[in-house]
Coordinates of all heavy atoms in Angstrom, one line a residue:
Chain A
R561 N -4.1 -32.1 -1.5 CA -3.0 -31.2 -1.3 C -2.4 -31.3 0.1 O -3.0 -31.8 1.0 CB -3.6 -29.7 -1.5 CG -4.2 -29.6 -2.9 CD -3.8 -28.3 -3.5 NE -4.5 -28.3 -4.8 CZ -5.1 -27.2 -5.3 NH1 -5.0 -26.0 -4.6 NH2 -5.7 -27.2 -6.4
E562 N -1.2 -30.8 0.1 CA -0.4 -30.9 1.3 C 0.0 -29.5 1.8 O -0.4 -28.5 1.2 CB 0.9 -31.7 1.1 CG 0.5 -33.1 0.7 CD 1.7 -34.0 0.5 OE1 2.8 -33.6 0.8 OE2 1.4 -35.2 0.0
L563 N 0.7 -29.5 2.9 CA 1.0 -28.2 3.6 C 1.7 -27.2 2.6 O 1.4 -26.0 2.6 CB 1.9 -28.4 4.8 CG 2.0 -27.3 5.8 CD1 0.7 -26.9 6.4 CD2 3.1 -27.5 6.8
D564 N 2.6 -27.7 1.8 CA 3.3 -26.8 0.8 C 2.3 -26.0 0.0 O 2.4 -24.8 -0.2 CB 4.2 -27.6 -0.2 CG 5.0 -28.7 0.5 OD1 4.4 -29.3 1.4 OD2 6.1 -28.9 0.1
D565 N 1.3 -26.8 -0.5 CA 0.3 -26.2 -1.4 C -0.5 -25.1 -0.6 O -0.8 -24.0 -1.1 CB -0.6 -27.2 -2.0 CG 0.1 -28.4 -2.6 OD1 0.8 -28.1 -3.6 OD2 0.0 -29.5 -2.1
F566 N -0.8 -25.5 0.6 CA -1.6 -24.6 1.4 C -0.9 -23.3 1.6 O -1.4 -22.2 1.4 CB -1.9 -25.3 2.8 CG -2.7 -24.4 3.7 CD1 -3.9 -23.9 3.4 CD2 -2.2 -24.2 5.0 CE1 -4.7 -23.1 4.3 CE2 -2.9 -23.4 5.9 CZ -4.2 -22.9 5.5
V567 N 0.4 -23.4 2.0 CA 1.2 -22.2 2.2 C 1.3 -21.3 1.0 O 1.1 -20.1 1.0 CB 2.6 -22.5 2.7 CG1 3.5 -21.3 2.8 CG2 2.5 -23.2 4.1
R568 N 1.5 -22.0 -0.2 CA 1.6 -21.2 -1.4 C 0.2 -20.6 -1.7 O 0.2 -19.4 -2.1 CB 2.0 -22.2 -2.5 CG 2.2 -21.5 -3.9 CD 2.1 -22.5 -5.0 NE 0.8 -23.1 -5.0 CZ 0.6 -24.4 -5.2 NH1 1.6 -25.2 -5.4 NH2 -0.6 -24.9 -5.2
D569 N -0.9 -21.3 -1.5 CA -2.2 -20.8 -1.9 C -2.7 -19.7 -0.9 O -3.6 -19.0 -1.3 CB -3.2 -21.9 -2.0 CG -2.9 -22.8 -3.2 OD1 -2.1 -22.4 -4.0 OD2 -3.5 -23.9 -3.3
L570 N -2.1 -19.7 0.3 CA -2.5 -18.6 1.2 C -2.4 -17.2 0.6 O -3.2 -16.4 0.8 CB -1.7 -18.7 2.5 CG -2.2 -19.7 3.5 CD1 -1.1 -19.8 4.6 CD2 -3.5 -19.2 4.1
K571 N -1.3 -17.1 -0.2 CA -1.1 -15.8 -0.8 C -2.2 -15.4 -1.7 O -2.7 -14.3 -1.7 CB 0.2 -15.9 -1.7 CG 1.4 -15.3 -1.0 CD 2.5 -15.1 -2.0 CE 3.8 -14.8 -1.4 NZ 5.0 -15.3 -2.1
L572 N -2.7 -16.4 -2.5 CA -3.8 -16.2 -3.4 C -5.1 -15.9 -2.6 O -5.9 -15.1 -3.0 CB -4.0 -17.4 -4.3 CG -2.8 -17.7 -5.1 CD1 -3.0 -19.0 -5.9 CD2 -2.5 -16.6 -6.1
L573 N -5.3 -16.6 -1.5 CA -6.5 -16.4 -0.7 C -6.6 -15.0 -0.2 O -7.7 -14.5 -0.1 CB -6.5 -17.4 0.5 CG -6.7 -18.9 0.1 CD1 -6.5 -19.7 1.4 CD2 -8.1 -19.1 -0.5
S574 N -5.4 -14.4 0.1 CA -5.5 -13.0 0.6 C -5.4 -12.0 -0.5 O -5.4 -10.8 -0.3 CB -4.3 -12.8 1.6 OG -3.1 -13.1 1.0
D575 N -5.4 -12.5 -1.8 CA -5.3 -11.5 -2.9 C -6.6 -10.8 -3.1 O -7.7 -11.3 -2.9 CB -4.9 -12.3 -4.1 CG -3.8 -11.6 -4.9 OD1 -3.1 -10.9 -4.3 OD2 -3.8 -11.8 -6.1
Q576 N -6.4 -9.6 -3.5 CA -7.6 -8.7 -3.7 C -8.5 -9.2 -4.9 O -9.6 -8.9 -5.0 CB -7.2 -7.3 -4.0 CG -6.7 -6.6 -2.7 CD -6.5 -5.1 -2.9 OE1 -7.2 -4.6 -3.8 NE2 -5.7 -4.5 -2.1
D577 N -7.8 -9.9 -5.9 CA -8.5 -10.1 -7.1 C -9.7 -11.1 -7.0 O -10.6 -11.0 -7.7 CB -7.5 -10.7 -8.1 CG -6.4 -9.7 -8.4 OD1 -6.7 -8.5 -8.3 OD2 -5.3 -10.1 -8.8
D578 N -9.6 -12.0 -6.0 CA -10.6 -13.0 -5.9 C -11.8 -12.5 -5.2 O -12.8 -13.2 -5.0 CB -10.0 -14.2 -5.1 CG -9.4 -15.2 -6.0 OD1 -9.5 -15.0 -7.3 OD2 -8.8 -16.1 -5.6
L579 N -11.8 -11.2 -4.9 CA -12.9 -10.6 -4.0 C -14.3 -10.9 -4.5 O -15.1 -11.2 -3.7 CB -12.7 -9.1 -3.9 CG -11.6 -8.8 -2.8 CD1 -11.6 -7.3 -2.7 CD2 -12.0 -9.4 -1.5
D580 N -14.5 -10.7 -5.7 CA -15.9 -10.7 -6.2 C -16.6 -12.0 -6.0 O -17.9 -12.0 -5.9 CB -15.9 -10.3 -7.7 CG -15.4 -9.0 -8.0 OD1 -15.3 -8.2 -7.0 OD2 -15.0 -8.7 -9.1
Q581 N -15.9 -13.1 -5.9 CA -16.5 -14.4 -5.7 C -17.3 -14.4 -4.4 O -18.4 -15.0 -4.4 CB -15.5 -15.5 -5.7 CG -14.3 -15.2 -6.6 CD -14.6 -15.4 -8.1 OE1 -15.6 -16.0 -8.4 NE2 -13.8 -14.8 -8.9
S582 N -16.7 -13.9 -3.4 CA -17.3 -14.1 -2.1 C -18.3 -13.0 -1.7 O -18.2 -11.9 -2.0 CB -16.2 -14.1 -1.0 OG -15.4 -12.9 -1.2
N583 N -19.4 -13.5 -1.1 CA -20.5 -12.6 -0.8 C -20.2 -11.9 0.6 O -20.8 -12.3 1.6 CB -21.8 -13.4 -0.8 CG -23.0 -12.5 -0.7 OD1 -22.9 -11.3 -1.0 ND2 -24.1 -13.0 -0.2
Q584 N -19.4 -10.9 0.6 CA -19.0 -10.2 1.8 C -19.1 -8.7 1.6 O -18.8 -8.2 0.5 CB -17.6 -10.6 2.2 CG -17.4 -12.1 2.5 CD -15.9 -12.4 2.6 OE1 -15.1 -12.0 1.7 NE2 -15.5 -13.1 3.6
V585 N -19.4 -8.0 2.7 CA -19.3 -6.6 2.6 C -17.8 -6.2 2.6 O -17.0 -6.8 3.4 CB -20.0 -5.9 3.9 CG1 -19.8 -4.4 3.9 CG2 -21.5 -6.3 3.9
K586 N -17.4 -5.3 1.8 CA -16.0 -4.9 1.8 C -15.8 -3.6 2.5 O -16.5 -2.6 2.4 CB -15.6 -4.7 0.3 CG -15.1 -6.0 -0.3 CD -15.5 -6.1 -1.7 CE -15.9 -7.5 -2.0 NZ -17.3 -7.7 -2.3

Side-chain angles (χ1 to χ4, degrees):
Chain A
R561 303 225 182 135
E562 298 182 7
L563 195 65
D564 316 40
D565 308 297
F566 179 55
V567 171
R568 187 200 57 223
D569 291 346
L570 273 172
K571 261 196 189 146
L572 301 175
L573 289 174
S574 57
D575 222 28
Q576 291 191 20
D577 298 333
D578 272 354
L579 277 186
D580 296 342
Q581 327 287 341
S582 49
N583 190 22
Q584 296 166 314
V585 175
K586 272 141 220 116

